[in-house]
Amino acid sequence: MISMQSVEKHFGELHVLQNINIEVPVGQVVIVLGPSGSGKSTLCRTINRLEPIDSGAIAVDGKVLPSEGKALAGLRADVGMVFQSFNLFAHKTILQNVMLAPTKVRKQSKTEAKDNALRLLERVGIANQADKYPAQLSGGQQQRVAIARALAMNPKVMLFDEPTSALDPEMVNEVLDVMTSLAHEGMTMLVVTHEMGFARRAGNRVIFMADGEIVEDTDPESFFTHPTSDRAKDFLGKIL
Ligand code: ADP
Ligand code: MG
């Protein structure tokens, strides 16, 4: 579903992604771990071309990502992304936030988009807040809206970049629960997170990055019990 081959990227002198090779099969939940500054966000952002790459190739569902134009908009729509900051439109209601992209980009009718949005808000447990504005919701609720909004485009892949890092601790689980059910429903997911419990429970695979390189690529149990690299051991020593 996601294929990255020999991907290289620099920010000026900084070699932020170095020879990245990842093949993610349909339905796999990949957890991306690594110290701050290791390139995790940049990796996510290259997958839907929020960041261009210098060389290599990235494909989603077998389609190589073009760098611009209509085809790019189509491919971006296949990749849902949820960030640390929820980025909801403050002056639109929850329902309008979820309906916006499907009507503008997917050209869905208002009725279809509304039915779909209400179903998704139900799924993330906030259908009763549909007519409120983002500021009236808690951080956990806003992040669940952001997930519903991404799902409204009917993406083939969901990317999560530290979706719970900005939340108060008591709201973390309500967001992780939505992500866990999405994983169980077979969504292909790439999740940057520091939630190690979630990584172990919901992940099928761990990719550990350091200094722009993939240092380990293994199953969660092996990673957490027998990390092989010194950098992963050091990382786990600091967080566990
Ligand atoms: P992570 O998400 O693992 O913390 P990032 O992908 O955000 O890492 O950043 C990796 C490195 O690239 C960091 O050193 C960061 O400062 C740098 N970086 C990120 N975005 C940019 C940018 N737009 N321009 C220049 N440097 C950047
Ligand atoms: Mg980051």
Side-chain angles (χ1 to χ4, degrees), residues 40-41 161-162:
K40 306 180 298 295
S41 294
D161 190 1
E162 301 199 24

Side-chain angles (χ1 to χ4, degrees), residues 112-190:
E112 185 186 3
K114 185 176 175 184
D115 287 352
N116 205 26
L118 288 172
R119 183 179 57 78
L120 287 167
L121 288 173
E122 187 78 46
R123 182 163 158 195
V124 301
I126 32 183
N128 56 348
Q129 316 277 359
D131 295 324
K132 291 191 179 168
Y133 287 86
Q136 296 173 284
L137 269 57
S138 71
Q141 290 173 325
Q142 290 188 56
Q143 193 59 302
R144 286 185 282 147
V145 174
I147 294 172
R149 183 176 58 172
L151 291 174
M153 293 295 278
N154 205 15
K156 293 174 178 162
V157 171
M158 284 285 284
L159 308 176
F160 293 88
D161 190 1
E162 301 199 24
T164 61
S165 296
L167 299 177
D168 290 336
E170 75 272 21
M171 293 171 187
V172 167
N173 280 333
E174 64 192 60
V175 172
L176 294 179
D177 287 348
V178 169
M179 292 167 62
T180 302
S181 64
L182 205 54
H184 288 156
E185 288 161 26
M187 178 63 79
T188 308
M189 294 166 48
L190 197 136

Side-chain angles (χ1 to χ4, degrees), residues 11 14 16 34-43 51 161-162 192:
F11 284 122
L14 178 68
V16 63
S36 177
S38 54
K40 306 180 298 295
S41 294
T42 306
L43 178 84
E51 290 286 356
D161 190 1
E162 301 199 24
V192 180

